[in-house]
Amino acid sequence: MKMYKFPIKYIGLVLVLLMILTACSSGSNKGINTADLSTEVSVDTTEPSIHEVAVKYSTVTERFDFGSATSKVILEFEDMIDSNSVDKSLFVAEVVRTYLDSEDRVGKDYIDMEHIVSRTITNAYVSDSEGRLSDIGRYITIEMDVTDDKSTNNSSASKPYQMNKETHFNYMIDFYYIIELVDGANIKLENGDFIIFAATDKNNYLGDFLLEKDDFVHNQKHTYEDVTLGYAYYEPVLNVDNNQVPLFIWLHDYPMGGNDTRVPINFYNVSNLTKDVYQKVLDSSGAYVLIPQTQSYWMDPDGNNSYYLKKDYTDTDGNSYYARGLLDLVESFASAHPTIDQNKIYVAGNGLGGYMTVTMLIEYPDYFAAGIPIGTPYSNDWINNERLDKLKQTPIWFVHGLFDDEWHSTRGSSLLDYSLVDHSTKALYDGLIEIGDQNVFCTMPEVIQDKTGQFFTDDMEPFVYKGQYAWMLLFNNDIKEEINGQDVTILEWLSNQVNE
């Protein structure tokens, strides 16, 4: 066998290496420190802790230009949440709304039925108990889309009210939410643990609250002879030395009648008028706001809902069964609140409330300081010189969206062959101009666009509302005309009207 010789020149190197290894293994202080040669690595193989927890929740209803809608669900946990772990993709949301309906959707046997509707989640984040974004917290707020029904009068998933199919009035309904995690999802806590929770239901629902405080006194009653009206009112905070302030009266459209004054306030954004910015436009010290509610419809000649039942009002003279009772309510309310300026009582209304505004100005021409009928269906069949002369005695500003296609005409036909604008608002305005009225205005917007920057079309253009939503412009003081060479908003004009 052939032998290989180990080169002599490497023998010294081998001996040095052996000495180093010997020193390391013995831990000699004279050798090299092992910490200088290697780093200890520790690997945690423990599985993350995932456990199921109890959760409670509340909902938030907000007031938008188009009315009230439930926009948020706030989940409440016991432990602090890792804000980086929360995302809208973790959750699924459904609302369960209970209201009167029939099994076959055709019959008249209405019963309370639960309707489950999916809600679109737009955002989710760690928050405080009222839904405000927070870096740390034990609450998760889930925001939901409310744009699915903002252009119609029909209640939908986001609305806190629903049309009663027996009375044809909107009413406040019961609802609760089913919020659950998508399959396989969990939420990380600040302590590093992970949690899941069972789907929410009505048993762990803490209730709904308004994002903005409702400062109205609700569900008051006033009776005059055989007419009983409900009403809500807002009373401004006045200093002892304040002078008298105006009274603004808002008259609702037909679906907002009934026995719950929360309905007209939730349907409209009339609560805007209680905000300081609009209060100070009406008067530097503020203004009262009164919202009467009829138990049928303002356009009711006999108190039996005969207009609605017959869908025809041409065999009447346009008078309302409620006119005298409504005046008595206003007079009584003004007398009970001596800080109301009796010379600055204003009346406005939308739809049938617009009809009633015109009716009250004609019936009691010396009482109101000004009127704002919006989308009034007051028919030209009822207009005559005597009524125009009475109407002329009160300053009036008509508002009517040109594409108001939701209202059926007083002739019982659809608006495809009958122009509500031409046969009501325009006829009244033209008639007043012809007899020389110097304090009458008419605004007919072609387009009513969202100006909040919140709602858009599919093309990301500002959302366009239907013409019947012209009342939104009033409550945002977004109507103006040139008067005596100056641009004047509708509320500025209103505040300058005094009943001499």
Side-chain angles (χ1 to χ4, degrees), residues 267-311:
F267 187 89
Y268 300 106
N269 197 21
V270 64
S271 59
N272 249 17
L273 294 185
T274 68
K275 295 180 179 178
D276 285 346
V277 61
Y278 300 111
Q279 282 277 300
K280 293 186 183 303
V281 175
L282 291 170
D283 187 273
S284 59
S285 299
Y288 284 82
V289 181
L290 176 65
I291 305 178
Q293 185 181 40
T294 174
Q295 295 180 16
S296 62
Y297 305 93
W298 296 119
M299 190 185 283
D300 187 347
D302 52 20
N304 295 315
N305 285 349
S306 58
Y307 164 69
Y308 177 79
L309 294 174
K310 295 194 301 180
K311 294 290 192 301

Side-chain angles (χ1 to χ4, degrees), residues 19 38 126 172 185 187 201 207 242 250 303 334 343 373 395 416 443 472:
M19 291 174 64
S38 65
V126 172
M172 306 302 290
I187 300 169
D201 57 29
N242 279 140
W250 176 251
N343 292 318
L416 294 176
T443 301
M472 288 171 41

Side-chain angles (χ1 to χ4, degrees), residues 61 63 68 172 209-219 232-235 260-266 268 270-272 274 291:
T61 295
R63 290 196 174 105
S68 297
M172 306 302 290
F209 67 90
L210 281 168
L211 195 62
E212 297 178 14
K213 184 181 178 182
D214 185 344
D215 291 319
F216 284 89
V217 177
H218 282 283
N219 293 324
Y233 69 91
Y234 167 80
E235 183 173 2
D260 189 344
T261 57
R262 294 176 301 166
V263 173
I265 292 175
N266 274 276
Y268 300 106
V270 64
S271 59
N272 249 17
T274 68
I291 305 178

